[in-house]
Amino acid sequence: MSDDRESILSRVRGALAPLRERAAMPDYTTEIAVMRNLLAGRDALAVFSERIKRVNGIALTDPAALVEKLRAGGWLHGYCDPALWPTLAPHFGEGFKVETVFDRTRVDDYAFGITRAAGAIAETGTVILDDVTTSSRLAALAPWVHVAVVNRAQIFSDLPQAVAALGADSNVIWCTGPSKTADVEGILIEGVHGPGVQIALVVD
Amino acid sequence: MKFQQIDQFAAELKADTRAAVYDGSKKGHEKRTKLLFDEFPDPNHLRRVAGKIKQHVVENLDTYLPAVEAKMKANGVQVHWAATADAANAAVLGIMRARGATKIVKAKTMVSEETELAHFLEKEGIETLETDLGEFIVQIDHDHPSHIVKPIIHKNRREIARSFEREGLGAYNDDPETITRRARTFLRHKYLEADVGLTGANFVSVESGRIVLVTNEGNSRFCLAATKCHIAMIGIEKLVPRDYDLGLLLNLLARSGTAQEVTVYTEFISGPKSAAQPDGPEEMHVIFVDNGRTEVLASECRDILRCIRCGACLNVCPVYRQASGHAYRSVYPGPVGAVLSPLLMGEKFAEKADLPKASSLCGACNEVCPVNIPIPDLLLRLRNKAKEENIPSPGTPPMGAWALLASQPTAWRAALWGGKAINYLPTNLLPIPALRAWEAKRTLPAWRGGEFRKWMKGRARTPGASAKTT
Ligand code: SF4
């Protein structure tokens, strides 16, 4: 296949050789793609909460409200990142079963997964996961409900800011609302392969 | 053949397929327009800038490709190159064999459609599963996608429910939610059993070596959370210079493709999983695929390599809406396909040289394209290429007589005079089948030939006016 490498690159060079001039990279700022009016002078958390609602996600700031929500949904068995559990456990009362190791052979047992987020994006209502902060990729994906615990100070205002903060992590995922499809007759259905409910728990 | 191939296909299309395609594409287009124009004061400026970025990449692939390869290797990714479809498929198989892998789960990638990867792997005894809901349905039906973003735009829910029943995925139920849940339940265990997860890439940043995947369902995430090996099959034109450029391009792709501000999942992947992460690939391979792209690059139509596969030009195209995707006999239908598919045929260009003719050159595709590709110009260049190569064009009306008439002033004047007779003839009774078919649904406008010549002769000759006519 190193032959293929050489043949592709030499054909690329051959194809471009006759061009008298190559198209230049435009000089521009990604500001042009930012919804500035939306963000102007507003608190990032307020915008984030409003925007996540638009994509059918849920933003909460109080762990007690989270527990309430889970109980109301009948989502009593789940996973929690072991690093978060000591602070969250006191809010979970009777009737919950929470594990801190995700067992992939019982993937259907977990109704919710709680993991840490690396940040959020206000403009789009997005939570940002990365490989270093996520305790288990599967736990953040397979259960019906995913709860991302977002640090309030890590809410970026817009996409270009979040791109600039990508860093060195090998797997960054922006999650904007629950997983969805419109493949069948264009009808929107939530909860395809990923979570059907996406919650952001914003903490200080 | 009575009509051109694509017209023939459209003429024979089932009514509900046509309705499904028409509604689906129209809805997609309208939502996109609203989203782009409500939120940005000048979306066309965005499209132009994005077009320039991608054109720059295309014209500098000779430096960008080795650069991104070096970056990826530094990130711990194994890079492979495949000149042809066969080579790309063989590369996937080679990686799998080396690992003793027998099961692969696939996210949606257009380049693997080009190489017919799933088909190839199954023949080699590899259990291959499409995991995008639409592609999964295409796979169980042994069908082909008819849209590059919405692969089953041509199917209705009743057909899908029957397929699910046939495949043992539950009793007949055509509720889209039930269909989706059944696929969810079935597929999640398949991911967990698989050895390898295969994806494409929407963008690749040369600067960081990151590949970017844009999805909604979460299937590509599952492929990369459950398996131990990730293979990404990527067309050589997918590069962007910097991470910085992703902000603009992601914005445009989501809005143009599915009328979203951002897709549900945008994944930035630069290598195998990190050390402490329990789930996901320990090994990552990238296969850069040519499969005809370097020939497109060498042609006068290289601008089409800017394409980010959003599907907006399909949705807006009046021909696509009437003919549906399968009419194009190619992986890429619609306006983008009418340019790209014949070119990707290489030596066999003639087999698809009819596609560029299936257009009224209305220009709608260029207006919606997020990277501002001048598709109508490219279609004209391809028509010209077909003409120069003397490729026959069955089904197109013979224009020889017209050419003769239009180039002989005397004959032309006589014809204009004779044309008046049409106003007094019962044209619907003339034995010309095409005219009859046309007149069955429309009325011929009254003949007013010769008016322009009269006006031209009679008009005052001012210097300014004559300058305009030269
Ligand atoms: S040609 Fe333009 S509009 Fe059509 S799919 Fe490609 S990027 Fe989208």
Side-chain angles (χ1 to χ4, degrees), chain B residues 34-54:
Chain B
K34 186 164 164 22
L35 196 62
L36 264 178
F37 284 81
D38 279 2
E39 282 166 2
F40 295 123
D42 186 6
N44 287 327
H45 178 58
L46 270 57
R47 298 191 309 115
R48 282 192 294 267
V49 172
K52 284 188 185 148
I53 297 171
K54 286 294 294 190

Side-chain angles (χ1 to χ4, degrees), chain A residues 162-184:
Chain A
V163 168
L166 280 171
D169 198 278
S170 66
N171 191 283
V172 179
I173 308 174
W174 295 351
C175 309
T176 309
S179 84
K180 66 184 184 188
T181 184
D183 273 349
V184 181

Side-chain angles (χ1 to χ4, degrees), chain B residues 148 304 307-314 336 365 368-371 373 375:
Chain B
I148 58 179
I304 200 68
C307 173
I308 57 173
R309 308 284 190 268
C310 73
C313 60
L314 279 62
V336 57
C365 45
V368 298
C369 178
V371 284
I373 301 175
I375 295 177

Side-chain angles (χ1 to χ4, degrees), chain A residues 46-94:
Chain A
V47 178
F48 173 72
S49 308
E50 173 191 308
R51 301 299 281 183
I52 194 174
K53 219 184 274 170
R54 263 172 63 106
V55 290
N56 287 349
I58 300 161
L60 302 170
T61 47
D62 176 8
L66 170 68
V67 173
E68 216 28 65
K69 191 121 224 138
L70 294 175
R71 194 186 294 284
W75 302 307
L76 300 176
H77 184 176
Y79 164 91
C80 181
D81 176 345
L84 289 170
W85 188 233
T87 35
L88 287 177
H91 299 276
F92 282 76
E94 283 293 293

